[in-house]
Amino acid sequence: MPRKALRGALNVQDNIGRRTLLWAAVLVILSLSLIFYVLYARRENRVDRLYAEAAGIVPYFHGTDGAETAVRELAEYKGSRETAMLLNIALGRTPLVLNEVQAKAISCLSNRADPAVGLNLSRLLQPQVPVTLRAAAAKAVLEQGSSSKIGRAHV
C-alpha cells in the first residue's frame, strides 16, 4: 500500500504543477494580448490626431506648417485606412481645404502601390482644379506608374 499512496501523491503534485504551468501560460498570453492592444490603440489614436490636424479640425489644427508636418507623419503609416485619410486630404474632403496641404498629401500618395490611388488622383486633373494641384496630381500619377491601369479601368 505505501507504493500506491506514494504514486497517488506524485500524481497530485504533477497535476498541481500542470495546473500552475497552465495558469502561468494563460497569464502570459493575456498580458501579451493586453500589451499589443494598448500599443495598437495608441497607434490608432496617433493616426487620428494626425489626420485631425492635417484636415483642419479645430482643436487640433495649428496652422499650415503643422498640417503639412502632420501629412508627412501620416504618410509614414502604411495601411488602407491611412491611405484613405491621405486621399480625403488630397481630394479636399476635409473641413478646411488648404492647397499646400493637399499638394503635400498628393506627393505622399505617389509612394503608395494601391491602383485606386491613381484612379482617385486622376479626378484632380480637371480644368477647375488649381494648376498647382493638377501638376502635383499628374506627377504623382506618373510616379506611381498607374497611368496604364487608369486607362484600363475606364474602358
Side-chain angles (χ1 to χ4, degrees):
M1 289 282 190
R3 276 189 167 168
K4 287 184 182 180
L6 181 62
R7 222 183 274 162
L10 287 176
N11 284 338
V12 169
Q13 285 183 350
D14 286 345
N15 286 339
I16 291 172
R18 287 181 188 153
R19 282 189 210 142
T20 305
L21 187 60
L22 180 65
W23 278 110
V26 167
L27 287 176
V28 166
I29 290 171
L30 286 175
S31 299
L32 288 174
S33 299
L34 181 64
I35 288 170
F36 287 127
Y37 174 76
V38 167
L39 291 175
Y40 177 76
R42 287 184 68 197
R43 176 193 182 278
E44 292 299 307
N45 187 25
R46 172 83 173 135
V47 167
D48 289 340
R49 285 182 178 267
L50 288 171
Y51 176 73
E53 183 172 358
I57 297 174
V58 176
Y60 304 103
F61 181 69
H62 301 294
T64 306
D65 292 335
E68 287 183 33
T69 303
V71 167
R72 198 175 320 111
E73 290 177 19
L74 183 60
E76 293 174 7
Y77 292 94
K78 305 297 180 199
S80 59
R81 181 171 177 255
E82 291 79 8
T83 301
M85 289 176 170
L86 286 170
L87 274 171
N88 283 337
I89 295 166
L91 297 174
R93 298 177 186 156
T94 56
L96 181 62
V97 179
L98 299 169
N99 288 344
E100 300 88 6
V101 177
Q102 279 184 280
K104 188 66 177 171
I106 291 168
S107 68
C108 290
L109 283 168
S110 66
N111 300 332
R112 303 286 170 138
D114 188 1
V117 170
L119 288 170
N120 283 302
L121 290 180
S122 68
R123 295 178 184 171
L124 294 173
L125 303 175
Q126 302 296 323
Q128 67 271 18
V129 176
V131 175
T132 55
L133 293 180
R134 274 188 285 164
K139 183 179 176 187
V141 169
L142 289 174
E143 283 179 4
Q144 191 185 35
S146 62
S147 57
S148 61
K149 294 175 187 167
I150 293 171
R152 277 189 260 137
H154 290 295
V155 172

